[in-house]
Amino acid sequence: DAGITQSPRHKVTETGTPVTLRCHQTENHRYMYWYRQDPGHGLRLIHYSYGVKDTDKGEVSDGYSVSRSKTEDFLLTLESATSSQTSVYFCVTGPSMNTEAFFGQGTRLTVV
Amino acid sequence: QKEVEQNSGPLSVPEGAIASLNCTYSDRGSQSFFWYRQYSGKSPELIMFIYSNGDKEDGRFTAQLNKASQYVSLLIRDSQPSDSATYLCAVIRSGGSYIPTFGRGTSLIVHP
């Protein structure tokens, strides 16, 4: 299995608070992605990175920001959590263009 | 219209039968195609990938790609109850971003 670790695995937070999810990989993969998975919507891309300090927005980026200061770490921040951001978040990594993607274990986030 | 379409199911098949899962995509320039399996509460895991037109077999699984008709399918022979899961189709489009785009998944139920 690819060494992709997400933390925390579960989190309950209050509306309006900032939240940071961490993805750490030991595979030296260049590409890293944050997706959220919701019933009826499937997996939707939030942000992605194609290298250190190189990031871009996905289809559902409003209310989220990311940072990648090292190859192995990709952070997702919810600037001010809302109930609509209750979801399962997956970190996904890929070694190169056009190849398969590997998933972290997921983070279940509940905003109350 | 979503870029990658799958019938949500559930698709119910008896044990030992062939399960056929289908996926269509909208970008004619798409290059790489993947099938993932996701058990309830778990992260998706890669089953197969296919890049060229035709069939690719791996054990009980066969992926079929038809770029002219823009569909990719997954056949599971000798289906087992342990194959019961949601199957996600993923496509990497052309254009340089190399972002996996996922369908919403098809739920497969294999009943004894």
Side-chain angles (χ1 to χ4, degrees):
Chain A
D1 290 346
I4 306 168
T5 304
Q6 292 185 230
S7 59
R9 295 291 312 281
H10 302 271
K11 186 171 182 67
V12 179
T13 192
E14 293 185 349
T15 299
T17 60
V19 176
T20 295
L21 308 183
R22 181 183 185 233
C23 178
H24 178 77
Q25 55 122 342
T26 58
E27 304 297 319
N28 200 34
H29 287 171
R30 176 183 174 186
Y31 296 89
M32 298 185 76
Y33 314 85
W34 278 108
Y35 288 85
R36 59 179 289 175
Q37 188 174 40
D38 305 287
H41 292 280
L43 285 157
R44 294 181 290 174
L45 181 68
I46 305 170
H47 280 279
Y48 65 100
S49 170
Y50 42 93
V52 174
K53 294 193 165 106
D54 290 325
T55 64
D56 208 343
K57 297 179 180 180
E59 63 178 299
V60 291
S61 61
D62 285 349
Y64 302 94
S65 61
V66 290
S67 67
R68 191 171 180 197
S69 58
K70 298 185 288 185
T71 298
E72 56 267 34
D73 290 324
F74 193 31
L75 304 181
L76 175 70
T77 297
L78 288 65
E79 294 142 9
S80 177
T82 68
S83 59
S84 65
Q85 294 175 313
T86 292
S87 186
V88 178
Y89 291 84
F90 286 104
C91 174
V92 179
T93 75
S96 61
M97 300 181 292
N98 255 350
T99 59
E100 66 268 30
F102 299 91
F103 281 76
Q105 318 98 307
T107 295
R108 183 172 296 275
L109 177 69
T110 302
V111 183
V112 298
Chain B
Q1 181 186 0
K2 203 160 163 60
E3 297 167 3
V4 180
E5 296 275 3
Q6 295 181 256
N7 189 319
S8 61
L11 173 65
S12 182
V13 301
E15 184 174 357
I18 295 175
S20 178
L21 304 163
N22 299 311
C23 171
T24 59
Y25 59 93
S26 60
D27 184 350
R28 188 169 289 278
S30 296
Q31 302 177 38
S32 306
F33 307 86
F34 307 88
W35 283 100
Y36 288 83
R37 177 176 62 200
Q38 185 176 23
Y39 292 114
S40 180
K42 302 295 186 181
S43 59
E45 55 181 338
L46 182 71
I47 300 175
M48 292 193 69
F49 59 88
I50 187 167
Y51 300 143
S52 304
N53 274 331
D55 295 0
K56 179 180 179 182
E57 186 174 318
D58 184 0
R60 295 187 296 113
F61 299 96
T62 299
Q64 299 175 317
L65 175 60
N66 184 323
K67 290 188 177 180
S69 299
Q70 295 177 241
Y71 82 79
V72 56
S73 61
L74 179 70
L75 301 178
I76 306 175
R77 289 182 300 280
D78 189 23
S79 295
Q80 301 296 309
S82 59
D83 294 325
S84 299
T86 296
Y87 290 80
L88 304 174
C89 172
V91 174
I92 293 184
R93 299 159 53 199
S94 58
S97 297
Y98 301 103
I99 297 170
T101 300
F102 293 86
R104 293 176 184 168
T106 297
S107 174
L108 174 66
I109 299 171
V110 181
H111 53 86

